[in-house]
Coordinates of all heavy atoms in Angstrom, one line a residue:
M1 N -25.0 -5.2 11.5 CA -24.7 -4.8 10.1 C -23.7 -3.7 10.1 O -23.9 -2.7 10.8 CB -25.9 -4.5 9.3 CG -25.6 -4.0 7.9 SD -27.1 -3.6 7.0 CE -27.5 -5.1 6.3
A2 N -22.6 -3.8 9.4 CA -21.5 -2.8 9.3 C -22.0 -1.6 8.5 O -22.6 -1.7 7.5 CB -20.3 -3.4 8.7
T3 N -21.7 -0.4 9.0 CA -22.0 0.8 8.3 C -20.9 1.1 7.3 O -19.9 0.4 7.3 CB -22.1 2.0 9.3 OG1 -20.8 2.2 9.8 CG2 -23.1 1.7 10.4
T4 N -21.2 2.0 6.4 CA -20.2 2.4 5.4 C -18.9 2.8 6.0 O -17.8 2.5 5.5 CB -20.8 3.5 4.5 OG1 -22.0 3.0 3.9 CG2 -19.9 3.8 3.4
K5 N -19.0 3.6 7.1 CA -17.8 4.1 7.8 C -17.0 2.9 8.3 O -15.8 2.9 8.1 CB -18.2 5.1 8.9 CG -17.0 5.7 9.6 CD -17.5 6.7 10.6 CE -16.2 7.3 11.3 NZ -16.6 8.3 12.3
I6 N -17.6 2.0 8.9 CA -16.9 0.8 9.4 C -16.3 0.0 8.3 O -15.2 -0.4 8.4 CB -17.8 -0.1 10.3 CG1 -18.2 0.7 11.6 CG2 -17.2 -1.4 10.6 CD1 -19.3 0.0 12.4
E7 N -17.1 -0.2 7.2 CA -16.5 -0.9 6.1 C -15.3 -0.2 5.5 O -14.3 -0.9 5.1 CB -17.6 -1.0 5.0 CG -18.7 -2.0 5.4 CD -19.9 -2.0 4.5 OE1 -19.9 -1.2 3.5 OE2 -20.8 -2.8 4.7
N8 N -15.3 1.1 5.4 CA -14.2 1.8 4.9 C -13.0 1.7 5.8 O -11.8 1.6 5.4 CB -14.5 3.3 4.7 CG -15.5 3.5 3.5 OD1 -15.5 2.7 2.6 ND2 -16.2 4.6 3.5
T9 N -13.2 1.7 7.1 CA -12.2 1.6 8.1 C -11.5 0.2 7.9 O -10.3 0.0 7.9 CB -12.7 1.8 9.5 OG1 -13.2 3.1 9.6 CG2 -11.6 1.5 10.5
L10 N -12.4 -0.8 7.8 CA -11.9 -2.2 7.6 C -11.0 -2.3 6.3 O -10.0 -3.0 6.3 CB -13.0 -3.2 7.6 CG -13.7 -3.4 8.9 CD1 -14.9 -4.3 8.7 CD2 -12.8 -4.1 9.9
K11 N -11.4 -1.7 5.3 CA -10.6 -1.7 4.0 C -9.2 -1.1 4.3 O -8.2 -1.6 3.8 CB -11.3 -1.0 2.9 CG -12.5 -1.7 2.3 CD -13.2 -0.9 1.2 CE -14.5 -1.6 0.8 NZ -15.2 -0.8 -0.3
E12 N -9.2 0.0 5.0 CA -7.9 0.6 5.3 C -7.0 -0.3 6.2 O -5.9 -0.5 5.9 CB -8.1 1.9 6.1 CG -8.8 3.0 5.3 CD -7.9 3.6 4.2 OE1 -6.6 3.5 4.3 OE2 -8.4 4.0 3.2
V13 N -7.7 -1.0 7.2 CA -6.9 -1.9 8.0 C -6.4 -3.1 7.2 O -5.3 -3.5 7.4 CB -7.8 -2.4 9.2 CG1 -7.2 -3.5 10.0 CG2 -8.1 -1.2 10.1
Y14 N -7.2 -3.6 6.4 CA -6.8 -4.8 5.5 C -5.6 -4.4 4.7 O -4.7 -5.2 4.5 CB -7.9 -5.2 4.6 CG -9.1 -5.8 5.4 CD1 -10.4 -5.7 4.8 CD2 -9.0 -6.4 6.6 CE1 -11.5 -6.3 5.5 CE2 -10.1 -6.9 7.3 CZ -11.4 -6.9 6.7 OH -12.5 -7.4 7.4
G15 N -5.6 -3.2 4.2 CA -4.4 -2.7 3.4 C -3.1 -2.6 4.2 O -2.0 -2.7 3.7
L16 N -3.3 -2.5 5.5 CA -2.1 -2.4 6.4 C -1.6 -3.7 6.9 O -0.4 -3.8 7.3 CB -2.4 -1.5 7.6 CG -2.7 0.0 7.3 CD1 -3.3 0.7 8.6 CD2 -1.5 0.7 6.8
V17 N -2.5 -4.7 7.0 CA -2.1 -6.0 7.6 C -0.8 -6.6 7.0 O 0.1 -7.0 7.8 CB -3.3 -7.0 7.4 CG1 -2.9 -8.4 7.9 CG2 -4.5 -6.5 8.3
S18 N -0.7 -6.6 5.7 CA 0.5 -7.3 5.2 C 1.8 -6.5 5.6 O 2.8 -7.1 5.8 CB 0.4 -7.3 3.6 OG 0.4 -6.1 3.1
H19 N 1.7 -5.2 5.8 CA 2.9 -4.4 6.2 C 3.2 -4.7 7.7 O 4.3 -4.8 8.0 CB 2.6 -2.9 6.0 CG 2.4 -2.6 4.6 ND1 3.4 -2.6 3.6 CD2 1.3 -2.2 3.9 CE1 2.9 -2.2 2.5 NE2 1.6 -2.0 2.6
F20 N 2.2 -4.8 8.5 CA 2.4 -5.0 9.9 C 3.0 -6.4 10.2 O 3.9 -6.5 11.1 CB 1.1 -4.8 10.7 CG 0.8 -3.4 11.1 CD1 -0.4 -2.8 10.6 CD2 1.6 -2.6 11.8 CE1 -0.7 -1.5 10.9 CE2 1.3 -1.3 12.1 CZ 0.2 -0.7 11.6
I21 N 2.5 -7.4 9.5 CA 3.0 -8.7 9.8 C 4.4 -8.9 9.3 O 5.1 -9.9 9.8 CB 2.1 -9.8 9.3 CG1 1.9 -9.8 7.8 CG2 0.7 -9.7 10.0 CD1 1.1 -10.9 7.2
K22 N 4.9 -8.1 8.5 CA 6.3 -8.2 8.0 C 7.3 -7.5 9.0 O 8.5 -7.6 8.9 CB 6.5 -7.5 6.7 CG 5.8 -8.3 5.6 CD 5.9 -7.6 4.2 CE 5.1 -8.2 3.2 NZ 5.0 -7.4 2.0
M23 N 6.8 -6.7 9.9 CA 7.7 -6.0 10.9 C 8.3 -6.9 11.8 O 7.7 -7.9 12.2 CB 6.9 -4.9 11.6 CG 6.4 -3.8 10.6 SD 5.7 -2.4 11.5 CE 7.1 -1.7 12.2
P24 N 9.5 -6.6 12.3 CA 10.2 -7.5 13.2 C 9.6 -7.5 14.6 O 9.8 -8.5 15.3 CB 11.7 -6.9 13.2 CG 11.5 -5.5 12.8 CD 10.4 -5.5 11.9
E25 N 8.9 -6.5 15.0 CA 8.3 -6.4 16.3 C 6.9 -7.1 16.2 O 6.2 -6.9 15.2 CB 8.2 -5.0 16.7 CG 9.5 -4.3 16.9 CD 10.3 -4.8 18.0 OE1 9.8 -5.4 18.9 OE2 11.6 -4.6 17.9
T26 N 6.5 -7.7 17.3 CA 5.2 -8.4 17.3 C 4.1 -7.6 18.1 O 2.9 -7.8 17.9 CB 5.2 -9.8 17.9 OG1 5.8 -9.7 19.2 CG2 6.1 -10.7 17.0
K27 N 4.6 -6.6 18.9 CA 3.7 -5.8 19.7 C 4.0 -4.3 19.3 O 5.2 -3.9 19.3 CB 3.8 -6.0 21.2 CG 3.3 -7.3 21.6 CD 3.3 -7.4 23.1 CE 2.8 -8.8 23.5 NZ 2.7 -9.0 25.0
M28 N 2.9 -3.6 19.1 CA 3.1 -2.2 18.7 C 1.9 -1.4 19.3 O 0.8 -1.9 19.4 CB 3.1 -2.0 17.2 CG 4.3 -2.5 16.5 SD 4.1 -2.4 14.8 CE 3.5 -4.1 14.4
W29 N 2.2 -0.2 19.7 CA 1.2 0.8 20.1 C 1.3 2.0 19.1 O 2.4 2.5 18.9 CB 1.4 1.3 21.5 CG 1.2 0.2 22.5 CD1 0.0 -0.1 23.2 CD2 2.1 -0.8 22.9 NE1 0.2 -1.2 24.0 CE2 1.4 -1.7 23.9 CE3 3.4 -1.2 22.6 CZ2 2.1 -2.8 24.5 CZ3 4.0 -2.2 23.2 CH2 3.3 -3.0 24.1
V30 N 0.2 2.3 18.6 CA 0.2 3.4 17.6 C -0.7 4.5 18.0 O -1.9 4.3 18.4 CB -0.3 2.9 16.2 CG1 -0.3 4.0 15.1 CG2 0.6 1.7 15.7
D31 N -0.2 5.7 18.0 CA -1.0 6.9 18.4 C -0.8 8.0 17.3 O 0.3 8.2 16.9 CB -0.6 7.5 19.8 CG -0.8 6.5 20.9 OD1 -2.0 6.1 21.1 OD2 0.2 6.1 21.5
Y32 N -1.9 8.6 17.0 CA -1.8 9.7 16.0 C -2.4 11.0 16.7 O -3.5 11.0 17.1 CB -2.6 9.4 14.7 CG -2.6 10.5 13.7 CD1 -1.4 11.0 13.2 CD2 -3.8 11.1 13.4 CE1 -1.4 12.0 12.3 CE2 -3.8 12.2 12.5 CZ -2.6 12.6 11.9 OH -2.6 13.7 11.0
D33 N -1.6 12.0 16.7 CA -2.0 13.3 17.2 C -2.4 14.2 15.9 O -1.5 14.7 15.2 CB -0.8 14.0 17.9 CG -1.2 15.4 18.5 OD1 -2.1 16.0 18.0 OD2 -0.5 15.8 19.5
K34 N -3.7 14.2 15.7 CA -4.2 14.9 14.5 C -3.8 16.4 14.5 O -3.5 17.0 13.5 CB -5.7 14.8 14.4 CG -6.3 15.2 13.1 CD -7.8 14.9 13.0 CE -8.3 15.2 11.7 NZ -9.7 14.8 11.5
E35 N -3.9 17.1 15.6 CA -3.6 18.5 15.7 C -2.2 18.8 15.4 O -1.9 19.7 14.7 CB -3.9 19.0 17.1 CG -3.9 20.5 17.2 CD -4.4 21.0 18.6 OE1 -5.4 20.5 19.0 OE2 -3.7 21.8 19.2
A36 N -1.2 18.0 15.9 CA 0.2 18.1 15.6 C 0.6 17.4 14.3 O 1.7 17.6 13.8 CB 1.0 17.6 16.8
D37 N -0.2 16.5 13.8 CA 0.1 15.7 12.6 C 1.3 14.9 12.8 O 2.2 14.9 12.0 CB 0.2 16.6 11.3 CG 0.1 15.7 10.1 OD1 -0.4 14.6 10.1 OD2 0.6 16.2 9.0
V38 N 1.3 14.2 14.0 CA 2.5 13.3 14.3 C 2.0 11.9 14.6 O 1.0 11.7 15.4 CB 3.2 13.9 15.6 CG1 4.3 13.0 16.0 CG2 3.7 15.3 15.3
L39 N 2.6 10.9 14.0 CA 2.3 9.5 14.3 C 3.4 8.9 15.1 O 4.6 9.1 14.9 CB 2.2 8.8 12.9 CG 2.0 7.3 13.0 CD1 0.5 7.0 13.5 CD2 2.2 6.6 11.7
Y40 N 2.9 8.3 16.2 CA 3.9 7.7 17.2 C 3.7 6.2 17.1 O 2.6 5.7 17.3 CB 3.6 8.1 18.6 CG 3.7 9.6 18.8 CD1 2.5 10.4 18.8 CD2 4.9 10.2 19.1 CE1 2.6 11.8 19.0 CE2 4.9 11.6 19.3 CZ 3.8 12.4 19.2 OH 3.8 13.7 19.4
I41 N 4.8 5.4 16.9 CA 4.7 4.0 16.9 C 5.7 3.5 17.9 O 6.9 3.9 17.9 CB 5.2 3.4 15.5 CG1 4.3 4.0 14.4 CG2 5.1 1.9 15.5 CD1 4.7 3.7 13.0
N42 N 5.2 2.8 18.9 CA 6.0 2.4 20.0 C 6.1 0.8 20.1 O 5.1 0.2 19.9 CB 5.5 2.9 21.4 CG 5.5 4.4 21.4 OD1 6.6 5.0 21.4 ND2 4.4 5.0 21.5
F43 N 7.3 0.3 20.3 CA 7.5 -1.1 20.4 C 7.6 -1.6 21.8 O 7.5 -2.8 22.1 CB 8.7 -1.5 19.6 CG 8.7 -1.1 18.2 CD1 9.7 -0.2 17.7 CD2 7.7 -1.4 17.3 CE1 9.7 0.2 16.4 CE2 7.6 -1.0 16.0 CZ 8.7 -0.2 15.5
K44 N 7.8 -0.7 22.7 CA 7.8 -1.0 24.2 C 6.9 0.0 24.9 O 6.8 1.1 24.5 CB 9.3 -0.9 24.7 CG 10.3 -1.7 24.0 CD 10.2 -3.1 24.3 CE 11.2 -3.9 23.6 NZ 11.0 -5.4 23.7
R45 N 6.3 -0.5 26.0 CA 5.5 0.3 26.8 C 5.7 0.0 28.2 O 5.7 -1.2 28.6 CB 4.0 0.1 26.4 CG 3.2 1.3 27.0 CD 1.7 1.2 26.5 NE 1.5 1.6 25.2 CZ 1.1 2.8 24.8 NH1 0.8 3.7 25.7 NH2 0.9 3.0 23.5
P46 N 6.0 0.9 29.1 CA 6.2 2.3 28.8 C 7.5 2.5 28.1 O 8.5 1.8 28.3 CB 6.2 3.0 30.2 CG 6.7 2.0 31.1 CD 6.2 0.6 30.6
Q47 N 7.5 3.4 27.1 CA 8.7 3.6 26.3 C 9.5 4.7 26.9 O 9.0 5.8 27.0 CB 8.2 4.0 24.9 CG 9.2 4.2 23.8 CD 9.7 5.6 23.9 OE1 10.9 5.8 24.1 NE2 8.9 6.6 23.7
K48 N 10.7 4.4 27.2 CA 11.6 5.4 27.8 C 12.9 5.4 26.9 O 13.8 4.7 27.2 CB 11.9 5.1 29.2 CG 10.7 5.2 30.1 CD 11.1 5.0 31.6 CE 9.8 5.1 32.4 NZ 10.1 4.8 33.8
A49 N 12.9 6.2 25.9 CA 14.1 6.3 25.1 C 15.2 7.0 25.8 O 15.0 8.0 26.5 CB 13.7 7.1 23.8
T50 N 16.4 6.6 25.5 CA 17.6 7.2 26.1 C 18.4 8.0 25.0 O 19.2 8.7 25.3 CB 18.6 6.1 26.7 OG1 18.9 5.2 25.6 CG2 17.9 5.4 27.8
D51 N 18.0 7.7 23.7 CA 18.7 8.4 22.6 C 17.7 8.5 21.4 O 16.7 7.7 21.4 CB 19.9 7.7 22.2 CG 20.9 8.5 21.4 OD1 20.7 9.8 21.3 OD2 21.8 8.0 20.8
S52 N 18.0 9.4 20.5 CA 17.1 9.5 19.3 C 18.0 9.9 18.1 O 19.1 10.5 18.3 CB 16.0 10.4 19.5 OG 16.5 11.7 19.8
E53 N 17.5 9.7 17.0 CA 18.2 10.0 15.7 C 17.1 10.6 14.8 O 16.1 9.9 14.4 CB 18.8 8.8 15.1 CG 19.4 9.0 13.8 CD 20.0 7.7 13.2 OE1 19.7 6.6 13.7 OE2 20.6 7.8 12.1
M54 N 17.3 11.8 14.3 CA 16.4 12.4 13.4 C 16.9 12.2 12.0 O 18.0 12.5 11.6 CB 16.3 13.9 13.6 CG 15.4 14.6 12.6 SD 13.6 14.2 12.7 CE 13.1 15.2 14.0
L55 N 16.1 11.5 11.1 CA 16.4 11.3 9.8 C 16.1 12.5 8.9 O 15.3 13.3 9.3 CB 15.7 10.0 9.2 CG 15.9 8.7 10.0 CD1 15.1 7.6 9.4 CD2 17.4 8.4 10.1
E56 N 16.7 12.6 7.7 CA 16.5 13.7 6.9 C 15.0 13.9 6.4 O 14.6 14.9 6.0 CB 17.4 13.7 5.7 CG 18.8 13.9 6.0 CD 19.7 13.8 4.8 OE1 19.3 13.9 3.6 OE2 21.0 13.6 5.0
N57 N 14.3 12.8 6.4 CA 12.9 12.8 5.9 C 11.9 13.1 7.0 O 10.7 13.0 6.8 CB 12.6 11.4 5.3 CG 12.7 10.3 6.3 OD1 13.0 10.4 7.4 ND2 12.4 9.1 5.8
G58 N 12.3 13.6 8.2 CA 11.4 13.9 9.2 C 10.9 12.8 10.1 O 9.9 12.9 10.8
V59 N 11.6 11.7 10.1 CA 11.3 10.6 10.9 C 12.3 10.5 12.1 O 13.5 10.6 11.9 CB 11.3 9.3 10.1 CG1 11.1 8.1 11.0 CG2 10.2 9.3 9.1
L60 N 11.8 10.4 13.3 CA 12.6 10.3 14.5 C 12.7 8.9 15.0 O 11.6 8.3 15.2 CB 12.1 11.2 15.6 CG 12.8 11.3 16.9 CD1 14.2 12.0 16.7 CD2 12.0 12.0 17.9
L61 N 13.9 8.3 15.1 CA 14.0 7.0 15.6 C 14.4 7.1 17.1 O 15.3 7.9 17.4 CB 15.1 6.2 14.8 CG 15.0 6.1 13.3 CD1 16.2 5.4 12.7 CD2 13.7 5.4 13.0
R62 N 13.7 6.4 17.9 CA 14.0 6.5 19.4 C 14.6 5.1 19.9 O 14.0 4.1 19.5 CB 12.7 6.8 20.1 CG 12.1 8.2 19.7 CD 10.9 8.6 20.5 NE 10.0 7.6 20.8 CZ 9.0 7.2 20.0 NH1 8.9 7.7 18.8 NH2 8.1 6.3 20.4
Y63 N 15.6 5.2 20.6 CA 16.4 4.1 21.1 C 16.4 4.0 22.6 O 16.5 5.1 23.3 CB 17.8 4.1 20.6 CG 17.9 4.1 19.1 CD1 18.0 5.3 18.4 CD2 18.0 2.9 18.4 CE1 18.2 5.2 17.0 CE2 18.2 2.8 17.0 CZ 18.2 4.0 16.3 OH 18.4 4.0 15.0
K64 N 16.5 2.9 23.2 CA 16.9 2.6 24.6 C 18.2 1.8 24.5 O 18.1 0.6 24.1 CB 15.8 1.9 25.3 CG 16.2 1.7 26.8 CD 15.0 1.2 27.6 CE 15.4 1.2 29.1 NZ 14.3 0.7 29.9
G65 N 19.3 2.4 24.7 CA 20.6 1.8 24.4 C 20.7 1.7 22.9 O 20.6 2.6 22.2
T66 N 20.9 0.4 22.4 CA 21.0 0.2 21.0 C 19.7 -0.4 20.4 O 19.5 -0.6 19.2 CB 22.1 -0.8 20.7 OG1 21.8 -2.0 21.4 CG2 23.4 -0.2 21.1
E67 N 18.7 -0.6 21.3 CA 17.4 -1.2 20.8 C 16.4 -0.1 20.4 O 16.2 0.9 21.1 CB 16.8 -1.9 22.0 CG 15.4 -2.6 21.7 CD 14.8 -3.2 22.9 OE1 15.2 -3.0 24.0 OE2 13.9 -4.1 22.6
L68 N 15.9 -0.3 19.2 CA 14.9 0.7 18.6 C 13.6 0.4 19.4 O 13.0 -0.7 19.4 CB 14.6 0.4 17.2 CG 13.6 1.3 16.5 CD1 14.1 2.7 16.4 CD2 13.3 0.8 15.1
V69 N 13.1 1.5 20.1 CA 11.9 1.3 20.9 C 10.7 2.1 20.4 O 9.6 1.9 20.8 CB 12.1 1.7 22.4 CG1 13.1 0.8 23.1 CG2 12.6 3.2 22.5
G70 N 11.0 3.0 19.4 CA 9.9 3.7 18.8 C 10.3 4.5 17.6 O 11.4 4.8 17.3
I71 N 9.2 4.9 16.8 CA 9.4 5.7 15.6 C 8.4 6.9 15.7 O 7.2 6.6 16.0 CB 9.2 4.9 14.4 CG1 10.2 3.8 14.3 CG2 9.2 5.8 13.1 CD1 9.9 2.8 13.2
T72 N 8.8 8.1 15.5 CA 7.9 9.2 15.4 C 7.9 9.8 14.0 O 9.0 10.1 13.5 CB 8.3 10.3 16.4 OG1 8.3 9.8 17.7 CG2 7.4 11.5 16.4
V73 N 6.8 9.9 13.4 CA 6.7 10.4 12.0 C 6.1 11.8 12.0 O 4.9 12.0 12.4 CB 5.9 9.5 11.1 CG1 5.8 10.0 9.7 CG2 6.4 8.1 11.2
L74 N 6.9 12.8 11.7 CA 6.4 14.2 11.6 C 5.7 14.4 10.3 O 6.0 13.8 9.3 CB 7.5 15.1 11.8 CG 8.4 15.0 13.0 CD1 9.6 15.9 13.0 CD2 7.6 15.1 14.3
E75 N 4.7 15.3 10.3 CA 3.9 15.6 9.1 C 3.4 14.3 8.5 O 3.4 14.1 7.3 CB 4.7 16.4 8.1 CG 5.1 17.8 8.6 CD 5.9 18.6 7.6 OE1 6.6 18.0 6.8 OE2 5.8 19.8 7.7
A76 N 2.8 13.5 9.3 CA 2.4 12.1 8.9 C 1.3 12.1 7.8 O 1.4 11.3 6.9 CB 1.8 11.4 10.1
S77 N 0.4 13.1 7.8 CA -0.6 13.1 6.8 C -0.1 13.4 5.4 O -0.8 13.1 4.4 CB -1.7 14.0 7.1 OG -1.2 15.4 7.1
K78 N 1.1 13.9 5.3 CA 1.7 14.2 4.0 C 2.5 13.1 3.4 O 3.1 13.2 2.3 CB 2.6 15.5 4.1 CG 1.8 16.7 4.6 CD 2.7 17.9 4.8 CE 1.8 19.1 5.3 NZ 2.7 20.2 5.6
R79 N 2.5 11.9 4.1 CA 3.3 10.8 3.6 C 2.4 9.8 2.9 O 1.3 9.6 3.1 CB 4.1 10.2 4.7 CG 5.0 11.2 5.3 CD 5.7 10.7 6.5 NE 6.5 11.7 7.1 CZ 7.7 12.0 6.7 NH1 8.3 11.4 5.8 NH2 8.3 13.0 7.3

């Protein structure tokens, strides 16, 4: 039997599903550093970016050549 905590987690996941399936990438690794409040989304593993671009909104796009291999979201909990 699912606990309330698990049920709440599932509700959060269900809310994300439609967003994830619209993404062009089919494999993703997501890590959240709570202490630093940084969300890492990687499309390749191991991810070795050769270049990056910081957007004005605090999002860092990471590239290997011209291919987007990851996104880093700073101050993730405030978004």
Side-chain angles (χ1 to χ4, degrees):
M1 176 182 272
T3 65
T4 302
K5 183 176 180 179
I6 293 171
E7 289 172 356
N8 289 338
T9 300
L10 288 174
K11 286 179 187 178
E12 293 289 333
V13 169
Y14 295 151
L16 295 172
V17 170
S18 65
H19 298 288
F20 279 121
I21 63 176
K22 291 177 188 172
M23 295 190 69
E25 300 293 336
T26 57
K27 291 187 179 181
M28 291 172 264
W29 291 264
V30 179
D31 295 299
Y32 176 62
D33 182 335
K34 189 173 185 176
E35 191 173 313
D37 194 20
V38 177
L39 179 68
Y40 302 95
I41 304 170
N42 295 297
F43 305 122
K44 303 288 180 189
R45 195 173 286 260
Q47 181 276 120
K48 295 182 180 179
T50 57
D51 197 12
S52 62
E53 174 185 9
M54 177 64 82
L55 304 179
E56 291 181 18
N57 60 1
V59 173
L60 181 68
L61 304 177
R62 297 186 320 278
Y63 298 93
K64 184 173 184 178
T66 60
E67 179 184 18
L68 181 66
V69 294
I71 299 171
T72 301
V73 181
L74 305 178
E75 298 181 329
S77 68
K78 297 178 182 175
R79 299 176 186 274

